[in-house]
Amino acid sequence: MPGAIYAEGLVKTFGDVRALDGVDLDVPEGTVLGLLGPNGAGKTTAVRCLTTLLRPDSGKAVVAGIDVLGQPDAVRRSIGLSGQFAAVDEYLTGRENLQMVGQLYQMRAKQAKARAVELLEQFNLTDAADRPTKTYSGGMRRRLDLAAALVVSPPVMFMDEPTTGLDPRNRQQLWEVIQQLVSGGTTLLLTTQYLEEADHLAHDIAVVDHGKVIAQGTSDELKARTGGERVEVVVHEREHIRTATEVLRGFGKGDTTVEEHTRKLTVPVTGGAKLLAEVIRELDSRGIEIDDIALRRPTLDDVFLSLTGHVAEEKPEGNGEPGSKKNTRKDSRKEAVK
């Protein structure tokens, strides 16, 4: 039986750009799917198709048991959406924004006011409730945007890079809110380029590239695909990077990754702590002073690099689609609840 979010063979093109090329997804009820991918991979396009903001060229999608193409209005009443950019009216207060969303969902005025009070308290915005949103910080706007997506306590939530641009404290607060939602039974599809975010929140992870799902599984399953362990070395002098790379090449089971600005070298290995001691001895014999050395398991960054050929970038994507820029996203909340 399909999960709370289900997609089969989704295809969407924009001119010559094939933003989605047969995407399949299946998210069980009450779980979090982390959707990862480089800029332009198709993450946002997939979210917009599943939330009825775009119509796919072909394929099937079911959300909360409702056919997305056949009953879009019913889908909109059953979901919450927090897009890449905060879709709040900067001239209204925080309280007025939440009440407006409640009224768009056809809640009674008294009910909308009461729900606004609850959400303002939950997201630590009570003190700023009656200030115009244009006076809010970026983190406050993001929290208000997420609160607006939760006005009707939807069974299914979509969050498109919800913590992009937030400082660590605000990001941690949103993580806690997300965990509370899921523990209460909400199903969540989360797109992110913060790989530690997917590692922390997602039950399952799908990696998208060039409009296709190229890998899917739990965090541990994906890490196991990259195999082995990693030796990380930070050399003290930049001029020793080349020699240290040669040393690590002799011990490694794959290519050595070099970060020039941090003087850090990383190479996949097998052999555990015994091999680490051998690496230290060889570096010392070559006169290479090190600031740090460690043996660790693969991370999602390693998975991402292995699957896509490059590291994740922390920038919002455009996908080549109309309406993906910031100035065209402000009406997405209203469109989602028509």
Side-chain angles (χ1 to χ4, degrees):
M1 182 176 179
I5 302 172
Y6 177 79
E8 181 180 331
L10 284 187
V11 173
K12 183 64 182 177
T13 58
F14 302 99
D16 295 333
V17 178
R18 200 170 179 85
L20 297 181
D21 191 12
V23 167
D24 298 326
L25 298 171
D26 193 355
V27 188
E29 185 176 344
T31 67
V32 179
L33 174 69
L35 203 59
L36 304 184
N39 292 339
K43 305 185 301 296
T44 293
T45 303
V47 168
R48 289 169 70 83
C49 286
L50 290 167
T51 56
T52 78
L53 297 178
L54 282 176
R55 186 177 181 87
D57 299 331
S58 61
K60 177 182 180 181
V62 177
V63 174
I66 306 166
D67 187 287
V68 172
L69 298 180
Q71 298 177 277
D73 289 342
V75 170
R76 291 167 188 158
R77 289 191 291 268
S78 302
I79 65 173
L81 169 63
S82 179
Q84 285 186 9
F85 305 102
V88 294
D89 190 319
E90 62 180 14
Y91 293 101
L92 298 181
T93 67
R95 190 188 309 276
E96 289 168 341
N97 265 286
L98 297 180
Q99 291 177 188
M100 177 187 70
V101 173
Q103 290 172 330
L104 288 171
Y105 275 107
Q106 300 181 347
M107 296 172 66
R108 293 181 178 178
K110 185 176 181 180
Q111 183 183 7
K113 288 181 181 180
R115 182 59 176 155
V117 170
E118 293 174 6
L119 290 167
L120 289 165
E121 183 175 351
Q122 181 180 359
F123 285 86
N124 297 317
L125 291 170
T126 301
D127 291 343
D130 297 309
R131 281 169 37 196
T133 307
K134 64 182 179 181
T135 67
Y136 284 20
S137 67
M140 292 169 69
R141 289 191 188 200
R142 208 68 180 108
R143 297 205 305 275
L144 182 63
D145 181 72
L146 182 54
L150 297 173
V151 165
V152 294
S153 302
V156 178
M157 275 288 298
F158 294 85
M159 297 185 185
D160 193 6
E161 301 190 15
T163 62
T164 296
L166 295 188
D167 59 52
R169 180 187 178 193
N170 278 314
R171 189 179 303 161
Q172 184 64 44
Q173 288 178 339
L174 280 185
W175 285 5
E176 292 172 0
V177 170
I178 290 170
Q179 289 172 321
Q180 291 171 7
L181 288 173
V182 177
S183 65
T186 300
T187 304
L188 173 63
L189 188 149
L190 169 77
T191 79
T192 181
Q193 289 188 0
Y194 294 114
L195 302 185
E196 74 275 14
E197 186 163 87
D199 213 354
H200 188 78
L201 296 174
H203 297 90
D204 210 24
I205 295 169
V207 182
V208 181
D209 200 17
H210 298 294
K212 297 181 179 180
V213 177
I214 59 174
Q216 186 165 355
T218 66
S219 177
D220 286 341
E221 288 169 348
L222 292 178
K223 290 173 185 177
R225 288 184 55 168
T226 64
E229 300 162 308
R230 302 290 188 273
V231 167
E232 284 186 350
V233 176
V234 178
V235 299
H236 185 68
E237 300 291 344
R238 196 174 303 277
E239 58 262 28
H240 287 157
I241 289 178
R242 179 176 294 182
T243 306
T245 301
E246 294 174 359
V247 171
L248 293 181
R249 188 179 296 125
F251 292 96
K253 300 299 180 182
D255 294 335
T256 301
T257 303
V258 179
E259 297 179 13
E260 293 278 352
H261 63 291
T262 59
R263 308 183 308 283
K264 184 170 75 172
L265 297 81
T266 305
V267 65
V269 298
T270 56
K274 181 179 179 181
L275 180 134
L276 187 63
E278 294 175 6
V279 171
I280 293 172
R281 283 195 294 268
E282 183 64 22
L283 290 170
D284 186 57
S285 71
R286 299 282 195 101
I288 300 173
E289 186 178 352
I290 60 175
D291 290 339
D292 193 21
I293 188 168
L295 182 71
R296 63 166 177 77
R297 293 182 59 209
T299 66
L300 279 182
D301 285 285
D302 298 316
V303 173
F304 201 94
L305 178 62
S306 173
L307 292 172
T308 68
H310 54 80
V311 297
E313 300 173 27
E314 295 173 1
K315 298 177 183 177
E317 68 177 273
N319 292 319
E321 69 184 74
S324 64
K325 301 298 184 181
K326 182 174 181 179
N327 62 351
T328 60
R329 292 298 300 274
K330 293 184 71 174
D331 295 330
S332 62
R333 179 93 61 219
K334 295 178 182 178
E335 186 174 352
V337 296
K338 282 181 181 176

